[in-house]
Amino acid sequence: MENMLPLATVLCLVSVARAVPPGFQVRLAGGRSAYEGRVEVFYSGTWGTVCDDEVNINLANVVCRELGYAQGLTWAHSAKFGRGQGPIWLDNVACTGTESSISDCRFNGWGIHDCTHAEDLGVVCSSDELSNTKLVFFLISLLQTVGRVSLEEVRLRPVLPSTRNSALVTEGVVEVKHAGRWRHVCALSWDLSNSRVVCGMLGYPAAEQHKEHLAFYKKVHCSGSEISLAQCQAQLSIPRNEVPCNGGMHAVVRCTPGPQFSRLSQVVRLKAGARIGEGRVEVLKEGKWGTVCDHLWDLTAATVVCRELGFGSAKEAMRGAMMGQGTGPIHMNSVQCTGRESSIMRCQYKEVPLYTCKHSQDVSVRCNVPKTGLATTVRLAGGREPSEGRVEVLMDVGGVQRWGAVCSENWGIKEAMVVCRQLGIGFAATAHQVQTTTSHSRCGCSGALADTLCSVFVFSCIWNPDSEETLLSGTHCIGTEMSIQQCRKNGQVYCPRGGGGKAAGVTCVEAAPDLAVDTQLVQETAYLEDRPLHLLTCAHEENCLSSSAARMRWPYGHRRLLRFSSRIMNLGRADFRPRASRDAWVWHQCHRHYHSIEVFTHYDLLTMNGTKVAEGHKASFCLEDTFCPDGLSKRYACYNMGDQGISVGCWDTYRHDIDCQWIDVTDISPGNYIMQVEVNPSLDMAESDFENNVMRCRCRYDGARVYLYGCHTGNAYSAEVEDLFEHQQQISNNFL
């Protein structure tokens, strides 16, 4: 039986680590057992909740240990254990996992948040209680960690002129930060494994052997699989009279830049990340992309992914779909890596039996990335917040570096996404024109911002003679570029309609929605209907039929319609909202509700070479939460002038039997086709991932029946498998 120490002794040790606010308490509420529930904290005489923004397993571990449990098993977002009451005391809580109380973690400040109780955090703890003896050992380890020299910060000091003039420093003398000062590391016992760890912290996947070793640490020993130098064995020696290494050499490291500068991994990718080097992990197996389940997911496995993609070691290994939910199969579970594998596919893992994992358990990573200096070549000016404003770029003009504006003609959401990513401040919520002036008279907005939104997004009119000139025009981005300067642009600045007083602007946000079509539902519900014209009067008024319908003798005859149900899921981390304000919505008498968006989904029938031969003409859409899974509440509804949108985790369903939910195929000949459904086709609203907006099905029409098969999102398969499908379809078409 373990020796038990008085709880007062334990609390004394806690107070040594850091003073907890007077009267501070933690409890779990709303759970089915004592070790799960909504996290509530007692502060300033009042119980309140914790927001689920930026939460990871470290916070759950801290809360559970504070409550006397051995560890945290997982956390729950979006008020899974019910909505709390009272104040929201904590938001953006960041724990390292070694804190003795959640109050020791970093957060915005008491009561400072941008959340509602729909985002209340919950945790699930291990049912094993933490004995006082184990808790004391944990606290002693904590105190030893606090007293140990920190090796978390590291840098390379360039020693060659070629590297000194480059923003990407890959070679130099190793320096670590201690007590606010940067100090050298001695070369004694320094080897390639140590260099690998340093390079990983700096965002590089590998290190090269340096033939020379050009003070403070006498010895550092790493195995090479560590995430940071803090995990390596180190001997501390603070020299007297500042004599480094007793005449020895400094450690010099040469890092290998990752393949994100030349090529990409063929079997793993990151999706829906706001910044370079972060996102949901997806792996390619048997030609199909799928996700990874979060059981046993840790920093070691995440580091293997990061290095495989050409980044450094992992900063965070996230569970619980923190970067949004994926679609398709879940390929891997219980991934365990040693840290030396070249690919996550070489780690040990288990296959995922059907229904044992959900996409709400998809894993994500945040990798260390090199400091490229790209963020210093763009800035936002005139905004009320650091995340909004007029886009200004640093360009070379006649051999002189100058700041200038960007032409807003053809400026869109993909260009804005690149700017926000380059600055490291999230996703683009809006791409718009902003009124600039050389006086302090007034400021307006136009273009992508409707007049009704001007009062919301208007930027300060700041006279800035250094950025008055337009230096960038004709900008066209794919969306994957690392800087706006890397996008296609005019050789010479030409901006007749988007410069001067209408420069490009952006508003960046931390989280974004992500829409995807339920491919299985489309495939299962498709059928043909010959519908009499007298039942299509309302649809005809809304232009939901092909143009040939106007030449028929109404109300005699019929139209052949390819009908199907469509379910649009929001897999992202923010609600999907229409851009138009409520007073701009359009009343549709046939549907008896307001439509908030004119172009939300395109329905097309294409030939095998991509030529459009038929399309859906659905006039406009009403967005609502048709269904939300357990634990989520519906927030948007079409009727009674309700607020419109699609909540995180919910979906909006358009049944096959409603008007305009079809493609008019009356004039189509039998054959093989491609049916395509595209969500948010004009990219009017921001999303974290646009590549999954398109769904395609193989379609065979024999003149009497229609068959849909092979339905998948546009990026679900590898390019080789996609080409194979098209080749097989062409062969089949030749024999039809």
Side-chain angles (χ1 to χ4, degrees):
M1 182 175 180
E2 293 182 319
N3 295 326
M4 305 299 290
L5 296 180
L7 185 58
T9 304
V10 177
L11 295 178
C12 286
L13 286 172
V14 173
S15 64
V16 171
R18 180 173 176 178
V20 176
F24 182 81
Q25 299 179 55
V26 180
R27 70 183 182 188
L28 300 181
R32 293 171 296 180
S33 64
Y35 46 85
E36 67 174 22
R38 180 177 60 253
V39 179
E40 296 187 351
V41 298
F42 188 76
Y43 176 76
S44 189
T46 305
W47 284 100
T49 61
V50 179
C51 186
D52 61 12
D53 290 347
E54 302 297 327
V55 173
N56 59 31
I57 194 63
N58 291 338
L59 186 150
N61 282 329
V62 171
V63 169
C64 292
R65 281 198 301 262
E66 187 171 5
L67 290 169
Y69 299 105
Q71 63 178 344
L73 296 179
T74 187
W75 70 95
H77 57 79
S78 303
K80 180 176 180 179
F81 295 104
R83 301 188 184 191
Q85 296 180 344
I88 299 175
W89 281 127
L90 302 178
D91 187 18
N92 293 323
V93 184
C95 304
T96 65
T98 60
E99 296 88 349
S100 60
S101 170
I102 189 176
S103 63
D104 294 340
C105 301
R106 290 189 295 108
F107 54 92
N108 291 349
W110 295 103
I112 301 175
H113 66 88
D114 58 356
C115 306
T116 68
H117 281 298
E119 302 169 79
D120 283 346
L121 171 70
V123 299
V124 179
C125 302
S126 166
S127 58
D128 297 328
E129 294 187 358
L130 186 64
S131 69
N132 287 350
T133 302
K134 291 181 180 178
L135 181 57
V136 170
F137 287 155
F138 164 74
L139 292 171
I140 291 174
S141 173
L142 170 64
L143 296 176
Q144 291 173 344
T145 301
V146 172
R148 194 168 62 216
V149 175
S150 173
L151 289 173
E152 290 293 342
E153 291 189 73
V154 65
R155 71 182 183 187
L156 297 183
R157 181 170 56 84
V159 294
L160 299 175
S162 59
T163 58
R164 196 176 284 127
N165 295 329
S166 174
L168 197 66
V169 178
T170 60
E171 181 178 354
V173 175
V174 181
E175 295 182 346
V176 294
K177 198 170 189 179
H178 169 66
R181 297 183 59 184
W182 287 98
R183 300 179 183 270
H184 296 132
V185 176
C186 297
L188 183 62
S189 301
W190 190 269
D191 59 16
L192 189 60
S193 295
N194 298 348
S195 298
R196 173 181 166 88
V197 175
V198 168
C199 291
M201 295 177 67
L202 294 171
Y204 301 108
E208 298 178 4
Q209 185 69 52
H210 202 283
K211 58 184 178 181
E212 295 183 5
H213 289 295
L214 283 185
F216 165 75
Y217 288 100
K218 280 189 175 179
K219 294 182 180 179
V220 178
H221 177 70
C222 306
S223 68
S225 60
E226 293 87 354
I227 309 303
S228 77
L229 283 178
Q231 298 176 343
C232 301
Q233 297 178 5
Q235 179 180 343
L236 170 63
S237 176
I238 300 179
R240 295 182 180 181
N241 302 321
E242 299 297 328
V243 179
C245 302
N246 294 326
M249 304 297 289
H250 299 156
V252 178
V253 167
R254 177 182 294 163
C255 300
T256 304
Q260 75 270 24
F261 299 104
S262 58
R263 61 182 177 83
L264 296 177
S265 169
Q266 300 299 311
V267 297
V268 65
R269 67 185 183 186
L270 301 182
K271 302 294 290 183
R275 300 168 183 83
I276 297 171
E278 71 174 31
R280 180 179 62 253
V281 178
E282 296 189 355
V283 296
L284 185 67
K285 290 186 66 177
E286 299 179 353
K288 191 165 187 177
W289 290 98
T291 60
V292 180
C293 195
D294 61 10
H295 182 239
L296 300 182
W297 185 250
D298 59 12
L299 275 173
T300 303
T303 292
V304 171
V305 169
C306 290
R307 292 188 187 277
E308 183 176 1
L309 289 168
F311 303 110
S313 51
K315 289 193 291 189
E316 289 186 64
M318 293 166 282
R319 307 179 182 183
M322 292 299 292
M323 295 287 179
Q325 298 184 33
T327 58
I330 301 175
H331 284 321
M332 307 173 75
N333 190 21
S334 303
V335 179
Q336 293 182 284
C337 307
T338 65
R340 304 292 298 189
E341 295 86 354
S342 60
S343 170
I344 188 176
M345 305 304 293
R346 295 183 178 273
C347 299
Q348 293 184 3
Y349 66 91
K350 294 180 180 179
E351 301 288 343
V352 182
L354 198 61
Y355 306 122
T356 58
C357 272
K358 300 179 180 179
H359 281 296
S360 59
Q361 299 170 265
D362 288 343
V363 305
S364 309
V365 299
R366 183 169 286 128
C367 307
N368 286 311
V369 297
K371 294 181 179 179
T372 61
L374 294 175
T376 63
T377 62
V378 66
R379 67 187 182 189
L380 302 182
R384 297 169 301 177
E385 302 289 341
S387 58
E388 67 178 14
R390 180 179 61 253
V391 178
E392 297 179 357
V393 293
L394 185 63
M395 304 286 289
D396 187 285
V397 181
V400 179
Q401 294 287 308
R402 295 184 56 182
W403 287 97
V406 178
C407 181
S408 65
E409 188 174 1
N410 299 322
W411 181 258
I413 198 69
K414 286 191 174 181
E415 289 72 32
M417 282 284 191
V418 172
V419 169
C420 293
R421 185 188 304 117
Q422 183 177 353
L423 289 167
I425 52 177
F427 300 100
T430 316
H432 45 250
Q433 296 176 337
V434 293
Q435 187 74 29
T436 59
T437 179
T438 55
S439 69
H440 293 280
S441 57
R442 64 181 297 274
C443 189
C445 56
S446 60
L449 281 181
D451 292 338
T452 53
L453 297 180
C454 240
S455 61
V456 179
F457 289 101
V458 71
F459 297 148
S460 304
C461 276
I462 299 178
W463 180 56
N464 190 346
D466 293 333
S467 61
E468 183 179 350
E469 183 182 1
T470 299
L471 297 182
L472 202 61
S473 67
T475 309
H476 177 75
C477 302
I478 299 174
T480 58
E481 297 87 350
M482 291 193 293
S483 74
I484 192 68
Q485 289 90 343
Q486 293 177 357
C487 298
R488 194 176 70 199
K489 54 186 177 293
N490 292 339
Q492 294 183 338
V493 176
Y494 177 72
C495 187
R497 293 191 297 273
K502 295 183 178 179
V506 300
T507 298
C508 305
V509 293
E510 186 62 31
D514 181 22
L515 301 183
V517 181
D518 185 341
T519 58
Q520 184 176 355
L521 183 66
V522 173
Q523 181 169 313
E524 292 176 350
T525 58
Y527 65 97
L528 290 177
E529 179 190 12
D530 290 336
R531 192 160 182 83
L533 288 182
H534 71 272
L535 298 178
L536 294 172
T537 303
C538 189
H540 185 50
E541 292 176 359
E542 294 189 13
N543 296 316
C544 294
L545 302 173
S546 296
S547 57
S548 63
R551 298 189 295 270
M552 299 183 69
R553 294 179 56 199
W554 286 77
Y556 307 104
H558 68 272
R559 302 295 295 182
R560 176 158 291 183
L561 308 175
L562 170 54
R563 309 197 71 147
F564 56 92
S565 296
S566 176
R567 181 158 59 200
I568 314 299
M569 302 174 289
N570 182 2
L571 305 176
R573 297 176 54 232
D575 293 354
F576 185 87
R577 301 298 309 279
R579 191 179 63 179
S581 59
R582 186 185 293 263
D583 57 354
W585 296 355
V586 178
W587 172 260
H588 279 259
Q589 183 64 30
C590 292
H591 296 174
R592 304 297 299 171
H593 58 232
Y594 284 91
H595 286 184
S596 61
I597 183 170
E598 288 301 315
V599 181
F600 180 56
T601 308
H602 280 171
Y603 306 141
D604 299 317
L605 197 66
L606 313 174
T607 63
M608 295 308 302
N609 62 9
T611 303
K612 185 189 300 184
V613 293
E615 61 183 349
H617 292 274
K618 189 167 175 58
S620 54
F621 293 78
C622 171
L623 304 179
E624 68 176 0
D625 293 331
T626 306
F627 178 80
C628 295
D630 291 342
L632 299 178
S633 301
K634 296 181 181 180
R635 299 174 58 188
Y636 303 108
C638 292
Y639 292 96
N640 297 323
M641 195 57 177
D643 206 6
Q644 295 193 21
I646 307 176
S647 300
V648 173
C650 301
W651 53 75
D652 187 6
T653 302
Y654 297 87
R655 287 175 47 89
H656 58 85
D657 54 359
I658 65 174
D659 267 356
C660 304
Q661 187 60 35
W662 60 58
I663 298 177
D664 187 346
V665 296
T666 306
D667 306 320
I668 301 302
S669 302
N672 287 321
Y673 299 93
I674 297 174
M675 178 187 170
Q676 178 173 288
V677 177
E678 185 174 6
V679 183
N680 193 16
S682 56
L683 307 183
D684 285 335
M685 281 73 64
E687 296 184 55
S688 60
D689 184 6
F690 293 113
E691 293 185 0
N692 60 357
N693 284 23
V694 179
M695 184 222 73
R696 296 185 181 94
C697 298
R698 273 59 185 176
C699 176
R700 180 172 181 136
Y701 173 47
D702 63 7
R705 292 168 297 180
V706 66
Y707 306 91
L708 295 187
Y709 59 97
C711 294
H712 63 281
T713 55
N715 63 346
Y717 294 106
S718 65
E720 293 78 10
V721 172
E722 196 74 51
D723 291 341
L724 179 61
F725 281 156
E726 292 185 5
H727 180 66
Q728 292 173 342
Q729 186 86 338
Q730 289 173 348
I731 294 176
S732 177
N733 202 38
N734 292 335
F735 287 95
L736 187 65

